[in-house]
Amino acid sequence: IRFAPAGTATHKPMGVIHRDTTQAELAGETGDLMNYTLPANSLDENGKAIRITGYGTKTGANGFADIRFTFTDPLNTHRLTAAQTVWRIQCLLIRTGASAQDWVIYDIGNRDDTGLPLAPGHVSTSNYSYGLTTDAVLKFDCTTINASDTITQEEMIIELLN
């Protein structure tokens, strides 16, 4: 994404490019929570990055739930224990080549039903190969949940970092 008001100068916008605050809820069922289609060529230079943040709650303590982050293909699944009631997943995706990206995902189970803080679930890092000349779907979904529990996503934020 480039903006040149006059001459040859360019400006690289940074900041929030998408924010969804419409609550998405799945009661005892799996499926999509929130998603966003990143336009083709949004990461058009090496070193450009986006940060994707999603968070929400889980009600019911009858079993674990799996929340997955997808960048066109699934990258990571975060398991919430039966007692965890708040979740947050943050992904940093950095372009390292025309069809190569490095990613880091922080999975954080914020607290359990007693209100005690929990340590981060885990940090995942890897590289990924996706041609960035086509649109890419960024998505949070729930792949496993107990029939009597509910998973909710409160917000999804996409930020262009550089």
Side-chain angles (χ1 to χ4, degrees):
I1 300 171
R2 297 263 183 211
F3 175 72
T8 58
T10 61
H11 169 72
K12 294 181 182 179
M14 295 187 336
V16 175
I17 59 172
H18 174 76
R19 185 173 184 194
D20 186 350
T21 58
T22 304
Q23 189 178 67
E25 183 176 281
L26 295 169
E29 62 181 333
T30 60
D32 292 349
L33 291 164
M34 292 183 182
N35 65 70
Y36 171 72
T37 301
L38 184 69
N41 298 311
S42 293
L43 301 177
D44 61 350
E45 294 177 0
N46 291 349
K48 285 186 110 174
I50 56 172
R51 178 173 41 221
I52 305 99
T53 303
Y55 62 87
T57 60
K58 181 177 81 68
T59 57
N62 298 303
F64 61 85
D66 289 333
I67 302 170
R68 180 173 61 184
F69 173 71
T70 298
F71 176 71
T72 300
D73 295 317
L75 293 184
N76 180 268
T77 299
H78 175 63
R79 174 154 286 180
L80 295 169
T81 66
Q84 286 178 297
T85 58
V86 178
W87 62 272
R88 177 185 173 101
I89 297 174
Q90 189 169 68
C91 176
L92 178 63
L93 188 71
I94 305 164
R95 177 188 154 133
T96 56
S99 61
Q101 303 83 41
D102 287 343
W103 56 268
V104 179
I105 297 180
Y106 303 92
D107 302 339
I108 304 166
N110 288 342
R111 68 172 195 266
D112 64 17
D113 286 335
T114 65
L116 296 174
L118 298 173
H122 61 281
V123 176
S124 302
T125 61
S126 189
N127 53 28
Y128 178 67
S129 180
Y130 179 74
L132 296 169
T133 57
T134 59
D135 294 350
V137 177
L138 309 172
K139 177 175 72 170
F140 290 94
D141 62 4
C142 179
T143 59
T144 307
I145 192 167
N146 185 284
S148 60
D149 292 346
T150 299
I151 195 84
T152 303
Q153 184 169 356
E154 304 289 341
E155 189 169 21
M156 179 180 191
I157 304 166
I158 315 291
E159 300 166 271
L160 186 61
L161 299 180
N162 57 352

